[in-house]
Amino acid sequence: MTRMRCDRTPAWRELQALFKSKASTFDLRNAFATDANRFETFSQSAPHVFADLSKNLIDSSVQQLLFDLARQAGVTEQRDAMLAGVAVNSTEQRAVMHWLLRNPALSIADSEQSAIKNVANELAQVHATLDAMLAYAQTVREDAGITDVVNIGIGGSDLGPQMAVLALDGYVLAEKRFHFVSNVDGHELAATLKRLKPENTLFLIASKTFTTIETMTNAQSAKAWFEAKGGTDIARHFCALTTNVQAAHAFGISTTFGFWDWVGGRYSVWSAIGLPVAIAIGPQGFREFLAGAHAMDEHFSRAPIERNLPMRLGLLDVWYRNFHGFTSRSIAPYHSALRRWPAYLQQLEMESNGKRVDATGEALPYATAPVLWGEPGTNGQHAYFQMLHQGTDVVPVEFVAVKAPQHNLPGHHTLLLANAVAQAQALMVGKVDSGGHRHFPGNRPSTFLLLDELSPASLGALIALQEHRVFVSGALWGINSFDQWGVELGKVLAQDVEARLGSGDTTGLDGSTAGLLCRLKTPWPASL
Ligand code: F6P
């Protein structure tokens, strides 16, 4: 497989020269003034998503060189390797096949012709599990005795399903309540349990590994609560979603849906981890969710680089991070149902590409994943948009807006959309004022993603778009986007600190850690 680190390509050097000579002073206002077709040139449609990229700090010469960069770094070859089931997760020797989870089933005849014939067995397993899981979801939907579904999981075993159940509120079965417990902080579980009755509750224990301490602790406590309150039928009230079915059985859960080690945690909402979504929106809705993502997969795998939206977004990310030096991207979903969208993207991008070495372990001489952050609009406008408009840092903003509302409150949606468009406009055009305080520098970049409606299919496509865009920037940076060794050290140290909190032993610790342990060991008033 051709793979060249981005900084070793001729295009990288050309981009550096171009940045120095003129691209660093690029002005969006001039660009629009001199090019009547800029909006058409720098916008495009992809399945379920329209993207306006025209308010970004690029012109055709920059874009051409970015396309060259993708070609020279071998991004398409790396994409094709992932889509052929090659073990591109090199540090864990695993294939990366979350995309297979949304591939339609193949007939035997098709599978012989298909580009994915080498993973036909895996695809058959995917569909067998999907059918079983959706049948189970339907049973739960029809079970009037179950009023509350509690997902216990963290990271990818929480963020994806939680974000999707909230986002698809308009499709969610009204007769059931959905709860998501992720934090090991007992306040979260205790607050949830307070509102539940064991006989009406289904706990979904979601953990790829079934070893994650937060999830296991919450699952143990949920089971203890269930039994203490007289609950008896574990098979009806507990279901495990995991690759480690054996551990789930050992825990005492017999109702299980499995998945595979080639599904990364942050890419797992399409697998059994998506069960809360399937219960919430129903089997047909879940199949539409998968189909929307599959349509984006097809676009990513087939569209030429120049008209390939995930490619264009991933290239822009590298342009901003490594040439302009922007350190963050603000995520602005103008739809309150997308309120967990920024958090979901944080894990997707920062856990995937927050790496300081390349896939061979060599330290990288350039920056990688930016910080992602944000809140739904218009709330963000009354909090931190001040900094976006007039602060000293330039922060590219990624808007997401939805044309059709799912409510009958006349005027609200027009006002919401007007604000989204106006914010992007204001960031770009700015306002000249000699007074200083009222001056807006403008020329601040943004991308505007527009969906016709927020449906299972469009949400599926939007998520897959982001997954692939993260793949593209990771491939350019030469990193393995599919491991997460950076979460390990804290886990190990937490075990040590937990033991020391019991024993009070601070031997060998740094002064601050020892000091904090002593403070924590000091008895606090019983009233607390
Ligand atoms: O934070 C590390 C991580 O491994 C994530 O990648 C993953 O989504 C999360 O923990 C939860 O892991 P599991 O599903 O195995 O409980």
Side-chain angles (χ1 to χ4, degrees):
M1 174 178 58
T2 325
R3 178 169 204 174
M4 190 185 283
R5 227 172 64 185
C6 54
D7 60 327
R8 295 179 176 144
T9 60
W12 185 267
R13 287 187 289 282
E14 288 178 71
L15 282 162
Q16 280 177 323
L18 185 62
F19 185 75
K20 222 168 139 191
S21 64
K22 61 179 188 134
S24 59
T25 55
F26 177 84
D27 192 292
L28 280 164
R29 289 143 311 183
N30 292 343
F32 276 100
T34 54
D35 178 2
N37 294 323
R38 184 171 170 86
F39 176 74
E40 284 71 32
T41 312
F42 292 97
S43 61
Q44 84 160 89
S45 292
H48 301 281
V49 182
F50 172 81
D52 173 17
L53 308 180
S54 65
K55 290 201 204 71
N56 282 295
L57 304 175
I58 47 169
D59 60 13
S60 296
S61 56
V62 171
Q63 195 166 244
Q64 269 318 316
L65 281 179
L66 289 172
F67 295 149
D68 290 347
L69 179 70
R71 276 186 279 273
Q72 291 165 16
V75 177
T76 47
E77 288 84 348
Q78 294 182 61
R79 171 200 65 192
D80 295 345
M82 174 178 75
L83 298 179
V86 173
V88 296
N89 176 355
S90 52
T91 61
E92 297 176 311
Q93 288 85 48
R94 287 179 187 165
V96 172
M97 298 203 293
H98 47 275
W99 50 270
L100 192 71
L101 299 166
R102 49 235 191 183
N103 208 92
L106 294 175
S107 67
I108 293 175
D110 287 345
S111 69
E112 267 148 35
Q113 319 257 317
S114 165
I116 58 165
K117 62 176 179 296
N118 47 338
V119 289
N121 284 341
E122 284 84 351
L123 186 60
Q125 289 174 45
V126 163
H127 280 277
T129 307
L130 177 65
D131 292 347
M133 167 186 141
L134 294 184
Y136 176 77
Q138 186 57 29
T139 313
V140 174
R141 282 168 69 83
E142 287 166 8
D143 185 343
I146 299 293
T147 55
D148 291 84
V149 178
V150 183
N151 191 78
I152 294 182
I154 196 164
S157 300
D158 165 71
L159 287 164
Q162 185 186 161
M163 179 273 290
V165 169
L166 289 170
L168 298 174
D169 184 52
Y171 297 79
V172 171
L173 189 65
E175 292 74 32
K176 300 208 194 294
R177 286 180 293 268
F178 292 83
H179 313 265
F180 290 84
V181 174
S182 56
N183 202 324
V184 75
D185 180 353
H187 292 104
E188 193 171 55
L189 181 63
T192 307
L193 293 178
K194 239 175 8 197
R195 291 180 278 150
L196 303 176
K197 290 191 185 134
E199 62 275 22
N200 300 131
T201 303
L202 169 63
F203 290 98
L204 304 175
I205 313 301
S207 174
K208 178 177 171 180
T209 55
F210 226 76
T211 58
T212 304
I213 189 74
E214 291 92 335
T215 302
M216 291 301 101
T217 306
N218 280 325
Q220 287 288 4
S221 299
K223 192 158 160 258
W225 170 88
F226 178 80
E227 286 166 343
K229 295 269 177 192
T232 48
D233 192 351
I234 296 274
R236 174 160 185 252
H237 293 278
F238 281 77
C239 171
L241 318 170
T242 182
T243 60
N244 191 354
V245 169
Q246 232 180 346
H249 288 165
F251 183 90
I253 300 180
S254 56
T255 310
T256 61
F257 293 95
F259 59 110
W260 306 272
D261 70 356
W262 42 261
V263 182
R266 52 193 172 274
Y267 301 88
S268 63
V269 68
W270 322 102
S271 71
I273 294 293
L275 182 59
V277 186
I279 296 172
I281 66 172
Q284 182 54 27
F286 197 77
R287 286 191 192 278
E288 287 166 18
F289 179 58
L290 298 178
H294 179 66
M296 190 59 77
D297 295 341
E298 293 280 286
H299 168 76
F300 180 52
S301 73
R302 292 189 186 166
I305 294 178
E306 294 77 4
R307 300 303 295 165
N308 192 309
L309 190 55
M311 291 275 186
R312 293 176 85 183
L313 288 176
L315 285 164
L316 252 179
D317 295 338
V318 169
W319 175 241
Y320 283 158
R321 191 75 182 101
N322 301 118
F323 295 87
H324 283 276
F326 301 151
T327 55
S328 83
R329 179 162 79 248
S330 186
I331 307 297
Y334 273 66
H335 197 304
S336 70
L338 286 170
R339 59 192 170 277
R340 293 299 281 164
W341 183 238
Y344 176 77
L345 292 184
Q346 279 174 337
Q347 189 200 15
L348 180 62
E349 188 153 340
M350 293 163 78
E351 198 171 76
S352 296
N353 288 345
K355 315 272 166 75
R356 54 170 287 285
V357 297
D358 70 14
T360 68
E362 192 184 326
L364 292 170
Y366 46 75
T368 60
V371 176
L372 267 60
W373 57 283
E375 282 287 322
T378 58
N379 294 1
Q381 289 174 212
H382 298 272
Y384 53 77
F385 266 57
Q386 162 66 39
M387 179 268 197
L388 297 178
H389 287 289
Q390 290 187 315
T392 50
D393 288 273
V394 174
V395 179
V397 181
E398 189 158 292
F399 293 89
V400 182
V402 181
K403 263 165 94 174
Q406 285 166 332
H407 58 71
N408 290 317
L409 297 171
H412 285 245
H413 203 61
T414 310
L415 196 53
L416 178 75
L417 292 179
N419 270 277
V421 172
Q423 287 299 324
Q425 181 190 23
L427 285 164
M428 175 178 76
V429 298
K431 181 168 167 255
V432 179
D433 191 296
S434 54
H437 298 294
R438 290 166 195 264
H439 178 76
F440 290 68
N443 204 33
R444 304 214 157 178
S446 65
T447 292
F448 204 100
L449 302 177
L450 186 59
L451 311 180
D452 279 343
E453 54 175 2
L454 187 53
S455 65
S458 69
L459 183 68
L462 186 67
I463 301 172
L465 169 65
Q466 301 292 337
E467 288 178 347
H468 296 321
R469 164 239 205 113
V470 168
F471 176 87
V472 169
S473 53
L476 288 161
W477 284 323
I479 60 188
N480 177 6
S481 301
F482 300 103
D483 60 14
Q484 56 283 322
W485 299 108
V487 301
E488 295 304 321
L489 178 61
K491 284 190 200 170
V492 173
L493 292 184
Q495 280 175 4
D496 177 55
V497 172
E498 188 190 4
R500 288 173 186 268
L501 273 171
S503 68
D505 177 17
T506 59
T507 327
L509 292 177
D510 62 87
S512 169
T513 309
L516 288 170
L517 281 180
C518 288
R519 297 283 307 190
L520 286 166
K521 285 294 283 180
T522 310
W524 55 83
S527 61
L528 290 180

